Amino acid sequence: MAKQPKLVYQSWKANNKFLLGGRLIFGPDAKSLIITFTLILVPVVLFCVFVARNLVLELQRESAGYAILVITIVFTIYVFILLLSTSAKDPGIVPRNSHPPEEVLGYDSSASVETGSKPPRFKEVLVNGLPVRVKYCETCMLYRPPRCSHCSVCDNCVERFDHHCPWVGQCIGKRNYRCFFLFVSSTALLCVFVFSISALYLKLLMDDSGTLWKAIKESPASAALMAYCFIALWFVGGLTGFHLYLIGTNQTTYENFRYKGDNRVYNRGCIKNFLQLFCSRIEPSKINFRSYVQEGASKPPKSNIQETDINISDGDTRIKVEDDLDIGDDIMKISQRRNSEEIGDVRGRGSDRSPIGRSEVDFGFGLESQFSSRPSY
């Protein structure tokens, strides 16, 4: 009896988790979605029960109470759709090779298997007319495209890698960054909405009771929701501002932290940078997780990057950031400072964290002009 071939997601070598037969792909920390879902759902339910429902009675003649209730429910569903779209989508994983690339100047891939020799660690490509270094990934056995980095949490090379977000349990990259930004910004707007309506309800109660203290005693849920939204807004609001700055300068979080925000190669201007993110077509996934695995020995792949080999001394190499979750922790700190500082100060502080002192041009982190005819996220 012939052995049933496996599907790609069933023999996946990285740390991802799959649902619905490989249709949904999550990171290894997908359980954190439960926490994020709860942090949004619980205050919204409290708001609908103790604030919006009472406003329906208070504002019966104007029907404004019903409008507030409907807007809250619809907007919350929209936020959850964005959350799921960010977490369950392929962020832009680059398919790993089963053999080292064949077309490396002076390098014999078959000999490397026998002798244990390694391909050159760096190669040089041209992006927007300027030389950019791309690094060889020993895990995925490929030269990473510009802006690509290997996530140590998911164990994948991800195109236009931004960071690994523990709140959504997924890498943020080329294919899900738009959904991630919309999720964060929409959550910030939801916090503002709940805070404002809760304050309005307390104002109506204060007009009837005469004092703010009596109004709070009559509706403690309103005061609690205002405090909760105020604290949450420092995070999601600051994070929204930080990513607006990154989008306007065509950077990723990873690049901003590691390369001092130097983006001379890829910045196309604020308007074009925003148009590139929001108006470009999202490329399909490079991996069909529901296809069958092609078994048997395969020929070593040819390099898909046209480059010139360069020699680099041991002291000239960069240090890999091993734990990408550290970026997520730093983002929270930046987002809190973003509410009280100018953008320039944040860039300066982000630069101080970086142990790297070399130019951004030394390592690819920009538009994939070598790989597609028009930029796309």
Side-chain angles (χ1 to χ4, degrees), residues 96-135:
R96 63 178 65 190
N97 294 327
S98 56
H99 300 278
E102 187 179 54
E103 292 184 353
V104 178
L105 296 179
Y107 170 71
D108 184 358
S109 62
S110 60
S112 69
V113 178
E114 300 174 0
T115 63
S117 61
K118 297 180 180 180
R121 190 173 183 184
F122 291 93
K123 289 208 165 186
E124 190 174 78
V125 300
L126 290 178
V127 177
N128 294 338
L130 292 175
V132 171
R133 286 178 184 173
V134 294
K135 187 177 181 181

mmCIF file of all heavy atoms in Angstrom, residues 96-135:
data_model
loop_
_atom_site.group_PDB
_atom_site.id
_atom_site.type_symbol
_atom_site.label_atom_id
_atom_site.label_comp_id
_atom_site.label_asym_id
_atom_site.label_seq_id
_atom_site.Cartn_x
_atom_site.Cartn_y
_atom_site.Cartn_z
ATOM 1 N N ARG A 96 11.924 28.133 2.761
ATOM 2 C CA ARG A 96 13.287 27.706 3.018
ATOM 3 C C ARG A 96 13.717 26.655 2.010
ATOM 4 O O ARG A 96 12.890 25.927 1.445
ATOM 5 C CB ARG A 96 13.447 27.185 4.443
ATOM 6 C CG ARG A 96 12.632 25.958 4.792
ATOM 7 C CD ARG A 96 12.928 25.530 6.231
ATOM 8 N NE ARG A 96 12.498 26.527 7.195
ATOM 9 C CZ ARG A 96 12.807 26.505 8.494
ATOM 10 N NH1 ARG A 96 13.565 25.537 8.967
ATOM 11 N NH2 ARG A 96 12.366 27.432 9.302
ATOM 12 N N ASN A 97 15.003 26.559 1.771
ATOM 13 C CA ASN A 97 15.562 25.594 0.823
ATOM 14 C C ASN A 97 15.968 24.315 1.539
ATOM 15 O O ASN A 97 16.293 24.333 2.735
ATOM 16 C CB ASN A 97 16.775 26.187 0.101
ATOM 17 C CG ASN A 97 16.405 27.360 -0.790
ATOM 18 O OD1 ASN A 97 15.324 27.394 -1.363
ATOM 19 N ND2 ASN A 97 17.303 28.336 -0.900
ATOM 20 N N SER A 98 15.978 23.234 0.798
ATOM 21 C CA SER A 98 16.468 21.967 1.339
ATOM 22 C C SER A 98 17.960 21.795 1.095
ATOM 23 O O SER A 98 18.579 20.898 1.655
ATOM 24 C CB SER A 98 15.707 20.797 0.704
ATOM 25 O OG SER A 98 15.817 20.839 -0.709
ATOM 26 N N HIS A 99 18.532 22.660 0.242
ATOM 27 C CA HIS A 99 19.961 22.651 -0.048
ATOM 28 C C HIS A 99 20.436 24.094 -0.111
ATOM 29 O O HIS A 99 19.657 25.008 -0.402
ATOM 30 C CB HIS A 99 20.266 21.963 -1.379
ATOM 31 C CG HIS A 99 19.817 20.535 -1.439
ATOM 32 N ND1 HIS A 99 20.556 19.498 -0.918
ATOM 33 C CD2 HIS A 99 18.694 19.977 -1.959
ATOM 34 C CE1 HIS A 99 19.909 18.362 -1.110
ATOM 35 N NE2 HIS A 99 18.778 18.628 -1.741
ATOM 36 N N PRO A 100 21.727 24.323 0.142
ATOM 37 C CA PRO A 100 22.260 25.678 -0.044
ATOM 38 C C PRO A 100 22.133 26.106 -1.495
ATOM 39 O O PRO A 100 22.047 25.259 -2.395
ATOM 40 C CB PRO A 100 23.732 25.534 0.370
ATOM 41 C CG PRO A 100 23.781 24.315 1.226
ATOM 42 C CD PRO A 100 22.734 23.390 0.676
ATOM 43 N N PRO A 101 22.106 27.403 -1.777
ATOM 44 C CA PRO A 101 21.980 27.871 -3.160
ATOM 45 C C PRO A 101 23.180 27.451 -3.990
ATOM 46 O O PRO A 101 24.309 27.398 -3.509
ATOM 47 C CB PRO A 101 21.894 29.399 -3.008
ATOM 48 C CG PRO A 101 22.497 29.677 -1.681
ATOM 49 C CD PRO A 101 22.193 28.510 -0.811
ATOM 50 N N GLU A 102 22.914 27.168 -5.252
ATOM 51 C CA GLU A 102 23.952 26.651 -6.138
ATOM 52 C C GLU A 102 24.792 27.748 -6.757
ATOM 53 O O GLU A 102 26.002 27.621 -6.902
ATOM 54 C CB GLU A 102 23.292 25.823 -7.248
ATOM 55 C CG GLU A 102 24.288 25.098 -8.148
ATOM 56 C CD GLU A 102 23.573 24.286 -9.208
ATOM 57 O OE1 GLU A 102 22.753 24.883 -9.922
ATOM 58 O OE2 GLU A 102 23.809 23.082 -9.304
ATOM 59 N N GLU A 103 24.139 28.838 -7.146
ATOM 60 C CA GLU A 103 24.843 29.887 -7.877
ATOM 61 C C GLU A 103 25.494 30.867 -6.916
ATOM 62 O O GLU A 103 25.004 31.965 -6.697
ATOM 63 C CB GLU A 103 23.880 30.616 -8.815
ATOM 64 C CG GLU A 103 23.407 29.728 -9.951
ATOM 65 C CD GLU A 103 22.536 30.493 -10.918
ATOM 66 O OE1 GLU A 103 22.226 31.655 -10.611
ATOM 67 O OE2 GLU A 103 22.175 29.949 -11.953
ATOM 68 N N VAL A 104 26.580 30.425 -6.305
ATOM 69 C CA VAL A 104 27.383 31.290 -5.452
ATOM 70 C C VAL A 104 28.786 31.285 -6.028
ATOM 71 O O VAL A 104 29.348 30.228 -6.283
ATOM 72 C CB VAL A 104 27.406 30.779 -3.993
ATOM 73 C CG1 VAL A 104 28.280 31.665 -3.141
ATOM 74 C CG2 VAL A 104 25.997 30.712 -3.441
ATOM 75 N N LEU A 105 29.339 32.451 -6.278
ATOM 76 C CA LEU A 105 30.633 32.531 -6.942
ATOM 77 C C LEU A 105 31.695 31.795 -6.142
ATOM 78 O O LEU A 105 31.934 32.088 -4.975
ATOM 79 C CB LEU A 105 31.040 34.003 -7.120
ATOM 80 C CG LEU A 105 30.119 34.826 -8.024
ATOM 81 C CD1 LEU A 105 30.611 36.253 -8.088
ATOM 82 C CD2 LEU A 105 30.031 34.219 -9.409
ATOM 83 N N GLY A 106 32.325 30.813 -6.787
ATOM 84 C CA GLY A 106 33.384 30.075 -6.133
ATOM 85 C C GLY A 106 32.908 29.121 -5.081
ATOM 86 O O GLY A 106 33.691 28.651 -4.263
ATOM 87 N N TYR A 107 31.620 28.781 -5.076
ATOM 88 C CA TYR A 107 31.091 27.908 -4.022
ATOM 89 C C TYR A 107 30.399 26.721 -4.648
ATOM 90 O O TYR A 107 29.558 26.858 -5.520
ATOM 91 C CB TYR A 107 30.099 28.683 -3.136
ATOM 92 C CG TYR A 107 29.321 27.803 -2.185
ATOM 93 C CD1 TYR A 107 29.957 27.210 -1.102
ATOM 94 C CD2 TYR A 107 27.964 27.565 -2.381
ATOM 95 C CE1 TYR A 107 29.255 26.407 -0.246
ATOM 96 C CE2 TYR A 107 27.263 26.764 -1.521
ATOM 97 C CZ TYR A 107 27.910 26.188 -0.450
ATOM 98 O OH TYR A 107 27.215 25.395 0.402
ATOM 99 N N ASP A 108 30.760 25.534 -4.202
ATOM 100 C CA ASP A 108 30.182 24.286 -4.702
ATOM 101 C C ASP A 108 29.268 23.729 -3.632
ATOM 102 O O ASP A 108 29.717 23.303 -2.571
ATOM 103 C CB ASP A 108 31.295 23.278 -5.033
ATOM 104 C CG ASP A 108 30.741 22.002 -5.653
ATOM 105 O OD1 ASP A 108 29.506 21.909 -5.788
ATOM 106 O OD2 ASP A 108 31.533 21.107 -5.980
ATOM 107 N N SER A 109 27.939 23.762 -3.894
ATOM 108 C CA SER A 109 26.977 23.343 -2.881
ATOM 109 C C SER A 109 27.116 21.874 -2.547
ATOM 110 O O SER A 109 26.890 21.458 -1.416
ATOM 111 C CB SER A 109 25.556 23.645 -3.361
ATOM 112 O OG SER A 109 25.273 22.928 -4.541
ATOM 113 N N SER A 110 27.456 21.023 -3.530
ATOM 114 C CA SER A 110 27.599 19.601 -3.252
ATOM 115 C C SER A 110 28.817 19.333 -2.384
ATOM 116 O O SER A 110 28.812 18.465 -1.510
ATOM 117 C CB SER A 110 27.704 18.824 -4.567
ATOM 118 O OG SER A 110 28.841 19.267 -5.311
ATOM 119 N N ALA A 111 29.871 20.105 -2.601
ATOM 120 C CA ALA A 111 31.071 19.938 -1.791
ATOM 121 C C ALA A 111 30.849 20.379 -0.358
ATOM 122 O O ALA A 111 31.436 19.843 0.577
ATOM 123 C CB ALA A 111 32.239 20.723 -2.396
ATOM 124 N N SER A 112 29.941 21.364 -0.162
ATOM 125 C CA SER A 112 29.713 21.865 1.185
ATOM 126 C C SER A 112 29.090 20.804 2.069
ATOM 127 O O SER A 112 29.316 20.777 3.273
ATOM 128 C CB SER A 112 28.807 23.093 1.144
ATOM 129 O OG SER A 112 27.501 22.730 0.758
ATOM 130 N N VAL A 113 28.281 19.936 1.481
ATOM 131 C CA VAL A 113 27.653 18.875 2.266
ATOM 132 C C VAL A 113 28.705 17.903 2.771
ATOM 133 O O VAL A 113 28.637 17.389 3.887
ATOM 134 C CB VAL A 113 26.592 18.137 1.418
ATOM 135 C CG1 VAL A 113 25.985 17.003 2.207
ATOM 136 C CG2 VAL A 113 25.533 19.112 0.943
ATOM 137 N N GLU A 114 29.748 17.642 1.930
ATOM 138 C CA GLU A 114 30.771 16.679 2.290
ATOM 139 C C GLU A 114 31.824 17.284 3.215
ATOM 140 O O GLU A 114 32.299 16.652 4.147
ATOM 141 C CB GLU A 114 31.438 16.156 1.017
ATOM 142 C CG GLU A 114 30.463 15.463 0.064
ATOM 143 C CD GLU A 114 31.127 15.092 -1.244
ATOM 144 O OE1 GLU A 114 32.342 15.381 -1.377
ATOM 145 O OE2 GLU A 114 30.448 14.511 -2.112
ATOM 146 N N THR A 115 32.200 18.523 2.945
ATOM 147 C CA THR A 115 33.293 19.133 3.706
ATOM 148 C C THR A 115 32.809 19.978 4.871
ATOM 149 O O THR A 115 33.590 20.308 5.752
ATOM 150 C CB THR A 115 34.144 20.026 2.781
ATOM 151 O OG1 THR A 115 33.327 21.098 2.284
ATOM 152 C CG2 THR A 115 34.680 19.208 1.605
ATOM 153 N N GLY A 116 31.515 20.324 4.882
ATOM 154 C CA GLY A 116 30.984 21.165 5.946
ATOM 155 C C GLY A 116 31.277 22.627 5.762
ATOM 156 O O GLY A 116 31.078 23.423 6.666
ATOM 157 N N SER A 117 31.781 23.025 4.573
ATOM 158 C CA SER A 117 32.048 24.432 4.317
ATOM 159 C C SER A 117 30.747 25.204 4.149
ATOM 160 O O SER A 117 29.715 24.644 3.820
ATOM 161 C CB SER A 117 32.900 24.588 3.055
ATOM 162 O OG SER A 117 32.215 24.072 1.935
ATOM 163 N N LYS A 118 30.801 26.508 4.386
ATOM 164 C CA LYS A 118 29.611 27.338 4.346
ATOM 165 C C LYS A 118 29.701 28.337 3.212
ATOM 166 O O LYS A 118 30.793 28.757 2.824
ATOM 167 C CB LYS A 118 29.439 28.076 5.676
ATOM 168 C CG LYS A 118 29.218 27.152 6.863
ATOM 169 C CD LYS A 118 29.050 27.957 8.141
ATOM 170 C CE LYS A 118 28.833 27.033 9.340
ATOM 171 N NZ LYS A 118 28.673 27.819 10.588
ATOM 172 N N PRO A 119 28.552 28.753 2.666
ATOM 173 C CA PRO A 119 28.562 29.799 1.640
ATOM 174 C C PRO A 119 29.027 31.118 2.238
ATOM 175 O O PRO A 119 29.056 31.282 3.460
ATOM 176 C CB PRO A 119 27.091 29.875 1.202
ATOM 177 C CG PRO A 119 26.444 28.648 1.748
ATOM 178 C CD PRO A 119 27.210 28.259 2.959
ATOM 179 N N PRO A 120 29.417 32.077 1.387
ATOM 180 C CA PRO A 120 29.769 33.419 1.895
ATOM 181 C C PRO A 120 28.620 33.980 2.711
ATOM 182 O O PRO A 120 27.456 33.850 2.346
ATOM 183 C CB PRO A 120 30.009 34.227 0.613
ATOM 184 C CG PRO A 120 30.332 33.210 -0.430
ATOM 185 C CD PRO A 120 29.553 31.983 -0.080
ATOM 186 N N ARG A 121 28.943 34.609 3.822
ATOM 187 C CA ARG A 121 27.904 35.058 4.740
ATOM 188 C C ARG A 121 27.107 36.237 4.196
ATOM 189 O O ARG A 121 25.934 36.383 4.488
ATOM 190 C CB ARG A 121 28.540 35.431 6.076
ATOM 191 C CG ARG A 121 27.506 35.677 7.162
ATOM 192 C CD ARG A 121 28.158 35.867 8.513
ATOM 193 N NE ARG A 121 27.152 36.030 9.546
ATOM 194 C CZ ARG A 121 27.440 36.301 10.827
ATOM 195 N NH1 ARG A 121 28.693 36.421 11.196
ATOM 196 N NH2 ARG A 121 26.476 36.451 11.699
ATOM 197 N N PHE A 122 27.761 37.097 3.413
ATOM 198 C CA PHE A 122 27.095 38.272 2.874
ATOM 199 C C PHE A 122 27.269 38.316 1.363
ATOM 200 O O PHE A 122 28.254 37.827 0.821
ATOM 201 C CB PHE A 122 27.669 39.556 3.480
ATOM 202 C CG PHE A 122 27.347 39.752 4.930
ATOM 203 C CD1 PHE A 122 28.229 39.317 5.904
ATOM 204 C CD2 PHE A 122 26.178 40.359 5.324
ATOM 205 C CE1 PHE A 122 27.947 39.488 7.245
ATOM 206 C CE2 PHE A 122 25.878 40.536 6.654
ATOM 207 C CZ PHE A 122 26.765 40.104 7.619
ATOM 208 N N LYS A 123 26.302 38.946 0.697
ATOM 209 C CA LYS A 123 26.403 39.272 -0.713
ATOM 210 C C LYS A 123 25.919 40.700 -0.928
ATOM 211 O O LYS A 123 25.254 41.268 -0.065
ATOM 212 C CB LYS A 123 25.591 38.291 -1.543
ATOM 213 C CG LYS A 123 26.225 36.916 -1.566
ATOM 214 C CD LYS A 123 25.858 36.212 -2.827
ATOM 215 C CE LYS A 123 26.768 35.024 -3.010
ATOM 216 N NZ LYS A 123 26.555 34.374 -4.285
ATOM 217 N N GLU A 124 26.241 41.230 -2.062
ATOM 218 C CA GLU A 124 25.902 42.622 -2.354
ATOM 219 C C GLU A 124 24.927 42.693 -3.517
ATOM 220 O O GLU A 124 25.141 42.060 -4.553
ATOM 221 C CB GLU A 124 27.165 43.409 -2.678
ATOM 222 C CG GLU A 124 26.946 44.907 -2.755
ATOM 223 C CD GLU A 124 28.255 45.636 -2.929
ATOM 224 O OE1 GLU A 124 28.758 45.643 -4.072
ATOM 225 O OE2 GLU A 124 28.784 46.171 -1.943
ATOM 226 N N VAL A 125 23.828 43.429 -3.328
ATOM 227 C CA VAL A 125 22.841 43.650 -4.382
ATOM 228 C C VAL A 125 22.626 45.150 -4.537
ATOM 229 O O VAL A 125 23.034 45.944 -3.684
ATOM 230 C CB VAL A 125 21.494 42.954 -4.053
ATOM 231 C CG1 VAL A 125 21.690 41.463 -3.909
ATOM 232 C CG2 VAL A 125 20.871 43.543 -2.795
ATOM 233 N N LEU A 126 22.008 45.521 -5.645
ATOM 234 C CA LEU A 126 21.690 46.923 -5.890
ATOM 235 C C LEU A 126 20.210 47.160 -5.628
ATOM 236 O O LEU A 126 19.349 46.472 -6.173
ATOM 237 C CB LEU A 126 22.039 47.301 -7.329
ATOM 238 C CG LEU A 126 23.533 47.380 -7.678
ATOM 239 C CD1 LEU A 126 23.700 47.729 -9.146
ATOM 240 C CD2 LEU A 126 24.247 48.401 -6.799
ATOM 241 N N VAL A 127 19.913 48.131 -4.797
ATOM 242 C CA VAL A 127 18.535 48.541 -4.509
ATOM 243 C C VAL A 127 18.456 50.042 -4.720
ATOM 244 O O VAL A 127 19.160 50.810 -4.072
ATOM 245 C CB VAL A 127 18.114 48.179 -3.072
ATOM 246 C CG1 VAL A 127 16.711 48.696 -2.789
ATOM 247 C CG2 VAL A 127 18.179 46.685 -2.852
ATOM 248 N N ASN A 128 17.609 50.449 -5.665
ATOM 249 C CA ASN A 128 17.484 51.862 -6.010
ATOM 250 C C ASN A 128 18.838 52.475 -6.362
ATOM 251 O O ASN A 128 19.134 53.629 -6.024
ATOM 252 C CB ASN A 128 16.835 52.651 -4.866
ATOM 253 C CG ASN A 128 15.397 52.232 -4.630
ATOM 254 O OD1 ASN A 128 14.746 51.685 -5.506
ATOM 255 N ND2 ASN A 128 14.908 52.480 -3.422
ATOM 256 N N GLY A 129 19.679 51.665 -7.043
ATOM 257 C CA GLY A 129 20.964 52.155 -7.521
ATOM 258 C C GLY A 129 22.068 52.178 -6.493
ATOM 259 O O GLY A 129 23.181 52.601 -6.792
ATOM 260 N N LEU A 130 21.814 51.732 -5.274
ATOM 261 C CA LEU A 130 22.817 51.745 -4.220
ATOM 262 C C LEU A 130 23.118 50.318 -3.774
ATOM 263 O O LEU A 130 22.219 49.473 -3.715
ATOM 264 C CB LEU A 130 22.339 52.573 -3.019
ATOM 265 C CG LEU A 130 22.206 54.073 -3.260
ATOM 266 C CD1 LEU A 130 21.603 54.747 -2.038
ATOM 267 C CD2 LEU A 130 23.553 54.692 -3.577
ATOM 268 N N PRO A 131 24.385 50.014 -3.436
ATOM 269 C CA PRO A 131 24.735 48.659 -3.000
ATOM 270 C C PRO A 131 24.205 48.376 -1.603
ATOM 271 O O PRO A 131 24.300 49.212 -0.705
ATOM 272 C CB PRO A 131 26.267 48.682 -3.029
ATOM 273 C CG PRO A 131 26.635 50.114 -2.843
ATOM 274 C CD PRO A 131 25.550 50.913 -3.500
ATOM 275 N N VAL A 132 23.637 47.205 -1.436
ATOM 276 C CA VAL A 132 23.057 46.795 -0.160
ATOM 277 C C VAL A 132 23.488 45.355 0.119
ATOM 278 O O VAL A 132 23.475 44.517 -0.774
ATOM 279 C CB VAL A 132 21.516 46.888 -0.192
ATOM 280 C CG1 VAL A 132 20.911 46.256 1.049
ATOM 281 C CG2 VAL A 132 21.077 48.340 -0.292
ATOM 282 N N ARG A 133 23.879 45.079 1.340
ATOM 283 C CA ARG A 133 24.273 43.734 1.710
ATOM 284 C C ARG A 133 23.072 42.904 2.118
ATOM 285 O O ARG A 133 22.199 43.364 2.840
ATOM 286 C CB ARG A 133 25.274 43.766 2.866
ATOM 287 C CG ARG A 133 26.662 44.214 2.461
ATOM 288 C CD ARG A 133 27.562 44.270 3.676
ATOM 289 N NE ARG A 133 28.883 44.781 3.328
ATOM 290 C CZ ARG A 133 29.820 45.054 4.216
ATOM 291 N NH1 ARG A 133 29.571 44.878 5.499
ATOM 292 N NH2 ARG A 133 30.986 45.507 3.836
ATOM 293 N N VAL A 134 23.052 41.673 1.665
ATOM 294 C CA VAL A 134 22.056 40.705 2.120
ATOM 295 C C VAL A 134 22.798 39.560 2.792
ATOM 296 O O VAL A 134 23.915 39.218 2.396
ATOM 297 C CB VAL A 134 21.178 40.186 0.959
ATOM 298 C CG1 VAL A 134 20.323 41.294 0.402
ATOM 299 C CG2 VAL A 134 22.025 39.558 -0.139
ATOM 300 N N LYS A 135 22.172 38.991 3.785
ATOM 301 C CA LYS A 135 22.838 38.005 4.631
ATOM 302 C C LYS A 135 22.334 36.599 4.328
ATOM 303 O O LYS A 135 21.161 36.395 4.025
ATOM 304 C CB LYS A 135 22.594 38.347 6.099
ATOM 305 C CG LYS A 135 23.379 37.487 7.087
ATOM 306 C CD LYS A 135 23.119 37.960 8.505
ATOM 307 C CE LYS A 135 23.902 37.133 9.522
ATOM 308 N NZ LYS A 135 23.631 37.594 10.907
#
